[in-house]
Amino acid sequence: MALNAKTITNQELFYGHKACPGCGAALAIRLALKVLGERAIVVIPPNCMSTVGYIYPHMPVFVNSVIPPFAGTAAVMSGILAGAEAQGLKNYHVVGFAGDGGTADIGLQALSGMIDRNDRAIFICYDNEAYMNTGVQKSSLTPYGMKTTNTPAGKRIHGSQTSKKRMFEIVAAHGIPYAATASVGYPEDFLAKVEKAMNTDGTSYIHVMAPCPTGWGTESDVTVDIGKEAVDCGLWYLAEYEGGEFRLNRDPKEFSSAEAYLKAQSRFSALDENDFARVLQERDEAWARMRRDWKK
Amino acid sequence: MERPKADLSYVVEALPLGPAFETGQLHDVSSGMRTFRPVIDTEKCVKCLRCFLVCPDGAIDKSGETLEIDYDYCKGCGVCRRACKPGAISMVKEAEV
């Protein structure tokens, strides 16, 4: 049965958290836990979600959960699996929710190790494109031109000078059983991918784009729309890696305006025509490569 | 409404100390973050449940005859209003409710 608003449970397992109004990451965790259910064991390293999710004695995560060291999300997940096996637990899912920094920078080696061991766990990276919890610093998943506190926009340099690391492909290069990219702008697609990850025998990885109104400089009500817009304008993509093959889930015939997407967010407010041209050129190169090499 | 309720009566001294704690208990509400309150016009609502799906706080309950908003935990972000195609949700300033 396809998962959608009508079929998913009304029960909330991430409820009462203190995230900013319109938080994309909180939405991603909420939806993922609806699919995984009460038998999920959640690992959230120090990031926004553990900050807003565990304010003693206020405990908005309604399943068993733990805050591991920043670098050790996947390592702790492996440890929980070993513990659960020793106790003879059945019918449970170990899931980790790390941000883009906790996945692509700080948590990368632990994640790599877990995929190498092929432990049966789900690693979900919610990508809001910077270290938002500490006040917007650049991570290796920050896109070109984004204004952060350590890549500030000046007269000559208008923000981050590097582009997003190809994290999804790095994970896929391990030969992982299942990996996918998603966006909170396409919630049904995300739900389906979480379900697929849940039923995968081995490690699975989902990279979900989660807009951050505070860090991106948007109104709190556009979170879902801008997450969809990112996909529609080609600056993010929905894809899966399964059985050694990449597959594009969505291959738009025509992109919507990437310039309009960038201009709607104050984090890109310093960009000029040359910057827009560079972003568009990188986008077109990436899509040419994906369309050539990946299944549709 | 099938939503957890906050227990505001706890005393700090009665809480256990240590690094581990019973999960899933609420001792505070989020309504103080709200400036605008979403109000559902049940006449216009077609129960497509889009608002329920995209609410970052899960504050919209779909268990009843009509959709209900838990104003203890709604932060008034307005994601539901933009997601509502029939235009059944309006944002009303708190002071004017």
Side-chain angles (χ1 to χ4, degrees):
Chain A
M1 190 168 56
L3 287 173
N4 56 39
K6 289 202 164 59
T7 53
I8 55 170
T9 169
N10 185 44
Q11 185 188 23
E12 298 293 335
L13 295 171
F14 188 48
Y15 194 71
H17 57 77
K18 297 284 185 177
C20 306
C23 177
L27 175 56
I29 295 191
R30 170 183 169 247
L31 291 177
L33 285 182
K34 272 183 183 287
V35 180
L36 298 171
E38 277 179 324
R39 297 284 290 170
I41 302 172
V42 173
V43 182
I44 310 181
N47 58 34
C48 277
M49 290 304 105
S50 58
T51 312
V52 303
Y54 310 92
I55 307 169
Y56 181 90
H58 187 66
M59 295 284 144
V61 183
F62 282 69
V63 293
N64 285 319
S65 59
V66 62
I67 307 180
F70 208 159
T73 313
V76 169
M77 286 161 75
S78 292
I80 290 173
L81 279 170
E85 196 187 342
Q87 288 192 354
L89 296 190
K90 292 273 177 307
N91 190 23
Y92 62 91
H93 299 284
V94 177
V95 57
F97 295 102
D100 46 296
T103 304
D105 299 345
I106 298 172
L108 186 56
Q109 59 83 18
L111 173 61
S112 182
M114 182 174 75
I115 304 173
D116 181 45
R117 293 185 297 272
N118 199 20
D119 290 329
R120 197 183 193 288
I122 308 154
F123 193 104
I124 297 183
C125 165
Y126 73 81
D127 183 3
N128 48 24
E129 305 198 317
Y131 289 90
M132 297 309 185
N133 189 29
T134 44
V136 193
Q137 284 83 32
K138 182 200 175 306
S139 78
S140 59
L141 285 173
T142 299
Y144 175 79
M146 177 171 174
K147 193 163 62 176
T148 70
T149 52
N150 53 359
T151 57
K155 246 188 198 154
R156 288 192 321 111
I157 293 177
H158 302 137
S160 168
Q161 291 299 291
T162 57
S163 305
K164 278 173 91 74
K165 191 188 260 183
R166 290 194 220 146
M167 190 59 210
F168 170 60
E169 287 159 69
I170 291 171
V171 168
H174 289 75
I176 190 170
Y178 181 72
T181 63
S183 167
V184 296
Y186 286 92
E188 286 90 353
D189 173 76
F190 176 56
L191 292 171
K193 284 169 175 171
V194 174
E195 192 184 33
K196 219 165 174 179
M198 182 171 95
N199 295 324
T200 299
D201 194 18
T203 312
S204 44
Y205 172 85
I206 298 175
H207 192 127
V208 56
M209 176 65 70
C212 167
T214 310
W216 290 20
T218 57
E219 292 296 328
S220 65
D221 59 352
V222 299
T223 302
V224 173
D225 297 4
I226 209 131
K228 184 172 181 296
E229 193 57 33
V231 177
D232 294 347
C233 76
L235 293 179
W236 187 240
Y237 55 95
L238 303 181
E240 279 175 310
Y241 175 84
E242 208 179 358
E245 274 180 349
F246 288 99
R247 184 184 297 274
L248 265 177
N249 298 132
R250 205 183 139 73
D251 185 14
K253 282 207 173 62
E254 218 170 297
F255 293 123
S256 63
S257 166
E259 209 168 311
Y261 165 77
L262 298 170
K263 279 183 175 163
Q265 307 168 49
S266 72
R267 60 176 176 153
F268 294 117
S269 58
L271 297 195
D272 62 17
E273 294 309 314
N274 296 336
D275 297 318
F276 289 133
R278 176 176 162 167
V279 171
L280 288 184
Q281 189 197 343
E282 280 184 6
R283 176 193 75 180
D284 294 341
E285 281 169 11
W287 277 91
R289 188 175 51 78
M290 290 193 287
R291 284 174 172 148
R292 187 189 66 220
D293 298 342
W294 296 5
K295 281 188 165 183
K296 290 187 192 88
Chain B
M1 191 175 337
E2 291 172 9
R3 285 290 180 270
K5 284 273 153 234
D7 171 16
L8 301 173
S9 65
Y10 76 99
V11 272
V12 175
E13 288 75 18
L15 296 171
L17 288 175
F21 194 62
E22 194 178 321
T23 191
Q25 46 181 313
L26 303 179
H27 296 297
D28 198 5
V29 293
S30 306
S31 51
M33 292 192 194
R34 195 171 61 234
T35 312
F36 291 90
R37 163 190 291 243
V39 179
I40 301 177
D41 181 348
T42 49
E43 296 277 297
K44 280 191 194 164
C45 174
V46 295
K47 281 199 89 175
C48 68
L49 304 179
R50 193 73 194 164
C51 55
F52 159 80
L53 184 66
V54 298
C55 174
D57 293 278
I60 300 174
D61 179 42
K62 68 168 181 175
S63 63
E65 272 294 293
T66 54
L67 294 179
E68 272 183 284
I69 300 176
D70 182 354
Y71 289 111
D72 277 355
Y73 292 104
C74 166
K75 294 169 187 157
C77 63
V79 166
C80 54
R81 186 189 62 90
R82 281 187 74 98
C84 185
K85 290 219 170 74
I89 299 180
S90 49
M91 303 299 287
V92 186
K93 199 160 188 191
E94 275 298 329
E96 290 155 13
V97 173

